[in-house]
Amino acid sequence: MGDAVTRWLMVALLPWMMGFSPNDPAWMASDRLDARRGAPVAGTFWLMTDLASWEALPGSMALRLASGREPSSGAGLRVAFRSLRWPDGTMNDLEGAFIFRRSRWRGECAVGQSRFEGHHAARCSPRLLIAVSPHLVTGGAITFFPGSASSVPEFEIEARGAAGPWLLGLALYDNASEAAIGIEARPGLAVIARYANDVPALGIVWDARFLEVRAEAEDHPLLGRTARFAIRWMRGRP
Amino acid sequence: MRGICCIAFLSAFVASRAWGGVAINEIVVRPAGGEGEWIELAATDSVNVTLDGWTIRDATGRTRRLDGHLPANGFLVLAARPDSLRDRYRLPESVTIVHPDGWPILNDHDAGPGLPADVIVLADQEGGIQDSVAYFEDWLPPQPGQSVERVDLRMPSIMEGAWGWSVDPENATPGRANSLSAVAQGGDQVWGGPAEASPGTRPAVFTYRLPGSGRIDIRLIDQNGREVALLKEGGPSPPVGSWTWGGASPLPEHPGLYFLCLRWQGGKERIRRCHAVWVTP
């Protein structure tokens, strides 16, 4: 029993002696489970576009275009433009984020603004992820809304990890939560099941070397069937 | 907004109501300026109606005699100050405005806990009740001059959702079709309303048109699909109605785009429909 504990401790502490890598399985799991909220593959320049539509909002569609440079170590940048169109109008959202990354942690500070006709709303969201082990990344974000009548920020705590082919994720928000589980069914193909706010969702990720295609569907109790489709191109992938 | 069907004696009014005649269609209890309070009557059939001998009475039971002529599918306005009303809304001479003796008559403060501010009862020359409506203070729009409109003349007056606040740019529609009727009956729209709302400062009116009576939930959802607020839960609803989002309802913490979602269930049939709205709390 004592030997087993010693062996487990040695394996667990090995990364702390040998060093972490920005391409550890936990970081990869973070990206696989959520391409928008996760950490992109380190050392890449990427372009991404995604589309979303909602059954209960006929005639609506959201388009997001994003690009960024994700560093292996040091500073990076991300910009994103999102446009949500529906029969009565169009809302545009622009976001920029400064990223700083080391092998064991990743910080980002995002600022964004949404606009609809004469109205606008700004937000500022610092976020920190720490690799607890090569197989587990955890952290959180806080979002401030300057200009809002309410000074109450929003909080988020998250943990994502990988164990063999399995990917696991958990995120807790102020009044919501999200759990996700995925499996790398074969190299370049992952299946992800997500349960967020009583809403089940299923996604498939197909991944070639420079290209990633992602399709996801969910059945929201109010928004109805929601479909999302995303393509990401990456350069510099190890 | 509390419904208008909360007092027991109204059911007696409805039971004695004679359909196919005249209905109370629009009310202004708190006028904006000098036009005074007014009530619009509408003909529910394609026949002319002579109102000689008809009466209207309030919660005190005091009766005022009416006269005038209500054209088929047309309107007649009972007003405290007909000339001012005609000037304010540029009403043509073809719209009949009658000044009953003893006006104004309508109260805008509740008579007591659980008691309506006032009751309006319209009776024909034989004393048969044609229509009636009771209202509470919190049913009245906070903005002076904004009317309370009937959504659909085919709906009984006491049904929840049968009345709503005018969404017309002039805040009222004397002598013409109600703004809520036009919204509720127009096109294929199931659930609609303004694209932007500031419920904390100015109530916003949303209308719905459903396949039948049932129960509705109204919830506010953020762009990530998370529920922000439950605004109305499981209430019975008529096929056509309106819902007013006012400051007394829950509001989101921050401004932004939200989805205002309505879920209707009538028997085994269900409908989910959302409306995107920019909300400034």
Side-chain angles (χ1 to χ4, degrees):
Chain A
M1 180 67 181
D3 289 345
V5 172
T6 305
R7 276 200 300 274
W8 186 89
L9 277 173
M10 285 180 66
V11 169
L13 294 174
L14 195 61
W16 297 88
M17 295 180 284
M18 303 297 290
F20 286 76
S21 161
N23 293 313
D24 279 339
W27 293 110
M28 304 303 280
S30 162
D31 181 48
R32 264 284 191 271
L33 290 171
D34 190 341
R36 288 176 61 176
R37 299 282 299 151
V41 180
T44 58
F45 171 77
W46 55 270
L47 290 165
M48 181 175 178
T49 177
D50 66 72
L51 293 165
S53 68
W54 300 270
E55 179 193 23
L57 199 62
S60 66
M61 179 162 284
L63 168 69
R64 181 173 179 267
L65 300 169
S67 178
R69 182 189 172 276
E70 183 69 20
S72 293
S73 181
L77 197 66
R78 183 188 74 233
V79 291
F81 171 76
R82 181 167 177 265
S83 179
L84 196 160
R85 291 172 179 269
W86 71 102
D88 295 336
T90 301
M91 184 214 69
N92 294 321
D93 185 279
L94 188 63
E95 184 180 274
F98 175 76
I99 299 158
F100 198 86
R101 188 162 179 173
R102 293 291 188 212
S103 58
R104 281 175 48 193
W105 61 272
R106 179 185 186 275
E108 80 170 41
C109 184
V111 292
Q113 188 180 56
S114 298
R115 282 187 171 274
F116 173 71
E117 296 182 349
H119 303 280
H120 59 86
R123 63 186 182 278
C124 172
S125 180
R127 184 165 177 242
L128 181 66
L129 292 175
I130 298 170
V132 178
S133 84
H135 296 277
L136 179 64
V137 165
T138 186
I142 178 169
T143 304
F144 301 96
F145 298 88
S148 170
S150 168
S151 59
V152 181
E154 288 181 358
F155 295 93
E156 174 189 343
I157 295 173
E158 60 189 305
R160 291 190 171 90
W166 294 97
L167 317 168
L168 299 164
L170 183 67
L172 301 174
Y173 306 93
D174 286 350
N175 55 354
S177 59
E178 174 186 318
I181 182 168
I183 183 168
E184 293 275 358
R186 45 175 278 197
L189 182 68
V191 179
I192 294 161
R194 192 187 314 279
Y195 193 76
N197 319 311
D198 301 330
V199 182
L202 193 65
I204 295 175
V205 185
W206 175 80
D207 184 13
R209 182 161 177 77
F210 298 109
L211 196 66
E212 180 191 83
V213 179
R214 187 180 285 262
E216 189 170 298
E218 68 181 37
D219 188 16
H220 194 283
L222 292 162
L223 291 167
R225 279 183 284 277
T226 301
R228 292 194 177 86
F229 180 78
I231 297 178
R232 181 166 58 172
W233 173 82
M234 292 168 277
R235 194 181 74 179
R237 195 173 182 187
Chain B
M1 185 169 64
R2 185 161 37 177
I4 56 170
C5 53
C6 307
I7 50 176
F9 64 85
L10 264 181
S11 58
F13 290 162
V14 172
S16 59
R17 177 175 172 170
W19 272 107
V22 182
I24 300 166
N25 193 46
E26 190 173 3
I27 305 165
V28 166
V29 179
R30 294 171 175 155
E35 82 274 21
E37 65 187 38
W38 52 271
I39 298 172
E40 181 189 71
L41 305 180
T44 59
D45 265 351
S46 302
V47 293
N48 297 329
V49 181
T50 300
L51 295 180
D52 294 345
W54 286 51
T55 59
I56 193 163
R57 69 171 186 261
D58 63 4
T60 66
R62 289 174 58 192
T63 301
R64 278 84 176 174
R65 291 183 69 81
L66 305 179
D67 55 25
H69 183 74
L70 185 57
N73 295 317
F75 304 99
L76 180 144
V77 185
L78 310 175
R81 299 189 186 117
D83 293 340
S84 301
L85 181 70
R86 198 177 289 282
D87 290 345
R88 177 175 169 78
Y89 293 100
R90 298 177 299 281
L91 295 178
E93 291 297 328
S94 58
V95 176
T96 305
I97 304 179
V98 174
H99 176 222
D101 292 336
W103 273 53
I105 62 168
L106 302 177
N107 295 317
D108 63 348
H109 293 293
D110 289 349
L115 294 174
D118 217 329
V119 182
I120 305 166
V121 181
L122 178 69
D124 60 23
Q125 58 269 52
E126 296 171 357
I129 293 172
Q130 281 285 319
D131 200 4
S132 63
V133 58
Y135 59 86
F136 290 84
E137 184 178 354
D138 59 5
W139 184 55
L140 300 174
Q143 185 175 351
Q146 188 174 14
S147 70
V148 183
E149 290 183 355
R150 193 148 183 171
V151 177
D152 189 337
L153 283 171
R154 294 167 298 180
M155 288 162 49
S157 168
I158 62 162
M159 279 192 83
E160 187 179 1
W163 295 81
W165 298 347
S166 176
V167 293
D168 188 84
E170 290 193 290
N171 284 332
T173 59
R176 56 190 170 96
N178 288 347
S179 59
L180 291 178
S181 305
V183 172
Q185 293 170 12
D188 296 328
Q189 196 170 35
V190 173
W191 170 235
E196 50 190 284
S198 305
T201 54
R202 178 179 162 77
V205 180
F206 298 84
T207 57
Y208 52 82
R209 190 169 57 126
L210 300 162
S213 298
R215 305 186 79 83
I216 59 169
D217 284 342
I218 299 173
R219 293 166 198 262
L220 192 68
I221 306 291
D222 71 13
Q223 292 179 53
N224 294 313
R226 298 176 207 140
E227 182 176 321
V228 176
L230 172 59
L231 301 170
K232 179 179 172 64
E233 186 175 27
S237 77
V240 178
S242 69
W243 172 76
T244 301
W245 190 9
S249 302
L251 301 173
E253 291 277 356
H254 309 291
L257 189 78
Y258 294 86
F259 299 131
L260 193 59
C261 294
L262 174 142
R263 183 168 53 183
W264 171 84
Q265 182 153 16
K268 292 179 179 176
E269 205 174 351
R270 290 175 66 180
I271 287 180
R272 299 179 286 196
R273 195 54 60 96
C274 295
H275 176 76
V277 57
W278 182 279
V279 182
T280 305

